[in-house]
Every structure is written in C-alpha cells, then in structure tokens.
Amino acid sequence: MALRNSRIVGLGKHLPAKVVTNADLTRVMETSDEWIQQRTGIRERRYIDQDTGAAELGAAAAREALDRAGLRADQMDLILFATLSPDYDFPASACVMSRLLGVRGRAAFDVRNQCSGFVYGLAIADRFVKTGRAQRVLLVGGEVHSTGIDLSTRGRDVAVIFGDGAAAAVIAAEPDPSRGILSTHLHAQGKYAEKLWLEAAASRSRPRLSPDMLEGAKPRIFPYMDGKYVFKHAVTRFPEVILEALSANGCTVKDLDLLIPHQANLRINQMVAMGLELREEQMFNNIDRYGNTTAASIPLALYEAVEAGRVREGALVCLAAFGAGFTWASALIRW
Ligand code: COA
C-alpha cells in the first residue's frame, strides 16, 4: 500500500480566564516584573481558578479544533493527549477527555513527554495515518501547572515560568504527498533526567508520598529545574533538530517560512534565531502572554500564528521542541 501524508485540518485552543501578571506574583513571592521579563520574556500567564483538570481544558480546545475541521469527536480513530500534568496518575487524561467528548470505544492514550509531547504526539498521529491505521486523529496538549508549583519565594525560579492552557489539532489523511507533515524527528537522552524533573510522589519511594517530601529548601513534590543547564542544552538541541528536519527534506533555513519553537523562554528562542540567522518574520512567539505551557505551547503558538495570518497555504513551517528527559523533536510541515 502506498504511503500517504497526514495534515492538520483543524486547530483549537482553550485558556483559563484568570490572568496572572508578574505584578500579581510579587504579592506571593520575592520577585519582580523586571526580573521575569528580562530573563524569560514572560509578562503574564493563565491559571485555572477552580478545580479543573487538564482533560477539561483539553476537551474545550478539542471542540474548537473539531468544529474548525468540520468533524465530530466520534469520527476520530485515535485520541492522543500530551501532558505532564495529567488529571490523575492513571487512567490517562486521553480517557478522561474522551468521556467529556462523549466518545466511546476509540483508542486513546497519553503522551508523557513534557515539552516535546506535542511533537512526539504528532509523529505518532502521522504514522497511524500514513500506514492507514487511522483516518483521523485528535491530538491535544493540555496542562494544569498552577496546582503543582511552589508559589512562594522558595520556588520562584520555576514557578514564574509556567502557565495553564490547552490546544488541539485534528490530523487527517492527505493524498497529496507534497503537502502536510513532511517528516518528524524525535530524540531523547535520559542521562539528564534529574536536571528537570518532578521526583515525588512516585513508585520509586516507599511509601510513594511521605511528609518529608513536602519539606526542605526544594520540596520533592514540586518540579525541580537546573535552569542554566537546561538553557545550555536547549540552545544547542533546538538548532540541531531544526536543521535535521530541513535537511531531511532538502531544504535550508532560507526556505523556512515560519519556525514555531516550544515556548520555554524567549531568550532561548532569540538565541536560536540568532544562531540560525532567522529573520524576525520567520519565528513566532507568544510566551509573553502564556508563559511555558509545556505540551500545549506549540499548538497554542501554531493556532495563534495561523489566526494572525502568519501561516499561508503552502508555507513551510517547522515545529521544534526541547524539554525534560531530555527530549527534543521537530516536525516539518507544508501547510
Ligand atoms: N525572581 C527574582 N529572582 C529570582 C527568581 C525570580 N523568579 N528566580 C531566581 N531568582 C534569583 C536567584 O535566586 C539568583 O539569585 P542569587 O544570584 O542571589 O543566587 C538570581 O536570580 C539568578 O538566578 P539564576 O538561576 O542564575 O538565573 P538565570 O539567569 O539562570 O535564569 C531561568 C533562570 C530559569 C530563567 C533560566 O535559567 C532559564 O530560562 N532556564 C531554562 C528554563 C527552561 O527552559 N525550562 C523549561 C524547559 S523546556
């Protein structure tokens, strides 16, 4: 059977209404708007203001993506949910979201690859469609960080960066081999697992959760990040994986219409742009308004780039991610 391509046929997003500015954070921790903006480019982020799980945010984004694709949830052959903040340890948020969408009996699973989760999910969706195992796939990136970060001076280095949100893509078969997802490139290196991680509660500890995990200078129930280390690796891996995607398709940086990098830190993205000698119009960023929404950040930026008219039909678009694991990944798309 001849392989076919897959293509994104609908996008959706959902952000909680509550806006948390840098000034708001100065009320709960010692920080400043200037420090946050200078180091990260973030001005504000969104937090849920009531008990809402990642699946609920994801379902709202999915409904919009399905609407825009002119499809129903029960027409999806596969449902993927990329997240590092699932509603529960188990079952998967993909299952919880399927229930919210009223879908029964479809394959559904989570992709637990943090900031690279959406691109990993896109690679899975693409393979399912390419090999004829699925006609249509729903891929969601959704995160609720605000309930899991240390919103005090102790946790400020990590807490100021992250925000809640979700975005979704519907992926469908594309008969034209020159259109759609041209290739995906996935990498991981577990050597640095503890440079960016959430240690507890976890199966390695007996009991999995104990009072000492809540104590100390860096309580183990909150995410830990060696910020400088992560920064250094990110600015190397991003250009590598972007060039890998371009060269796999016989393209160069000059052919690229738009790069949508993961929104971890504006300074990382600016260094990547400088290294690759990208023109300003070749990169899209929206971290200033949402912070780092991990698995949701790339589809959220893609959605807004399309809305802003930055992705025209036929445009060459590269998605690129780097995150915990470490994992890094890219996808090249002919829109
Ligand atoms: N507000 C004010 N001061 C803060 C702060 C905050 N939110 N967080 C940390 N600081 C302080 C530190 O305590 C330190 O003070 P000291 O010099 O008195 O010890 C000082 O600011 C510098 O901290 P440092 O950690 O060296 O800052 P940095 O320049 O490395 O910037 C990050 C920190 C997190 C912004 C940066 O390392 C980064 O962006 N890393 C990559 C993050 C990332 O991409 N994560 C997601 C991966 S996908």
Side-chain angles (χ1 to χ4, degrees):
M1 187 191 64
L3 292 185
R4 55 192 179 170
N5 265 11
S6 74
R7 186 165 71 88
I8 294 174
V9 295
L11 288 163
K13 70 170 181 181
H14 183 74
L15 282 316
K18 184 177 168 189
V19 175
V20 177
T21 63
N22 294 343
D24 292 332
L25 291 179
T26 64
R27 284 181 211 115
V28 292
M29 63 178 75
E30 281 171 39
T31 189
S32 68
D33 178 45
E34 193 195 1
W35 192 97
I36 299 171
Q37 282 208 46
Q38 251 177 26
R39 310 278 172 131
T40 70
I42 299 167
R43 291 167 192 271
E44 59 189 43
R45 71 286 293 140
R46 304 293 181 95
Y47 286 176
I48 55 163
D49 58 4
Q50 54 195 15
D51 288 351
T52 306
E56 223 165 295
L57 299 182
R63 286 189 193 101
E64 185 186 359
L66 288 162
D67 254 18
R68 287 176 176 247
L71 293 166
R72 298 186 314 271
D74 63 7
Q75 291 175 300
M76 299 297 110
D77 303 308
L78 173 64
I79 295 175
L80 301 171
F81 201 102
T83 186
L84 66 68
S85 53
D87 296 61
Y88 312 121
D89 256 7
F90 69 85
S93 284
C95 298
V96 181
M97 186 181 71
S98 294
R99 177 175 66 188
L100 295 169
L101 294 174
V103 179
R104 190 171 155 266
R106 302 293 171 181
F109 62 92
D110 283 4
V111 180
R112 294 289 302 274
N113 262 28
Q114 303 68 252
C115 303
S116 303
F118 186 82
V119 181
Y120 265 73
L122 199 64
I124 297 166
D126 181 52
R127 298 306 194 284
F128 265 82
V129 171
K130 266 206 172 85
T131 54
R133 297 288 162 159
Q135 291 292 329
R136 290 168 290 266
V137 181
L138 172 63
L139 169 60
V140 172
E143 305 282 5
V144 173
H145 285 297
S146 58
T147 53
I149 46 181
D150 186 356
L151 284 165
S152 73
T153 300
R154 192 178 57 180
R156 64 183 179 176
D157 57 327
V158 172
V160 300
I161 294 175
F162 293 98
D164 302 341
V170 176
I171 295 121
E174 165 59 48
D176 179 351
S178 66
R179 263 193 101 182
I181 298 165
L182 304 179
S183 66
T184 53
H185 307 267
L186 311 179
H187 299 278
Q189 190 174 17
K191 186 176 172 187
Y192 307 110
E194 290 81 16
K195 294 290 182 190
L196 178 54
W197 70 325
L198 177 60
E199 189 185 353
S203 59
R204 286 175 75 102
S205 317
R206 193 189 305 260
R208 291 186 178 188
L209 188 61
S210 53
D212 63 290
M213 290 175 182
L214 312 174
E215 294 159 3
K218 294 277 171 206
R220 289 145 69 195
I221 58 152
F222 295 122
Y224 166 83
M225 177 173 74
D226 184 335
K228 284 200 167 62
Y229 210 89
V230 172
F231 197 106
K232 269 190 222 150
H233 277 256
V235 296
T236 311
R237 299 283 96 86
F238 268 119
E240 261 176 33
V241 84
I242 292 161
L243 292 174
E244 182 184 350
L246 288 168
S247 80
N249 293 279
C251 300
T252 69
V253 168
K254 288 200 170 51
D255 301 315
L256 189 60
D257 291 303
L258 197 63
L259 171 66
I260 304 209
H262 167 52
Q263 304 290 301
N265 182 324
L266 189 61
R267 306 295 160 238
I268 292 178
N269 294 354
Q270 285 168 336
M271 280 185 76
V272 170
M274 211 157 59
L276 292 175
E277 296 182 15
L278 291 181
R279 297 185 310 279
E280 204 182 320
E281 64 271 22
Q282 280 179 295
M283 183 187 267
F284 187 86
N285 289 301
N286 61 2
I287 189 170
D288 57 323
R289 282 171 294 132
Y290 306 121
N292 181 348
T293 58
T294 49
S297 99
I298 289 177
L300 188 53
L302 180 59
Y303 177 105
E304 296 200 337
V306 172
E307 283 295 285
R310 301 272 303 269
V311 189
R312 299 197 189 285
E313 186 119 357
L316 191 65
V317 180
C318 186
L319 313 181
F322 177 85
F326 292 149
T327 56
W328 59 105
S330 62
L332 199 68
I333 302 173
R334 179 67 69 187
W335 201 258

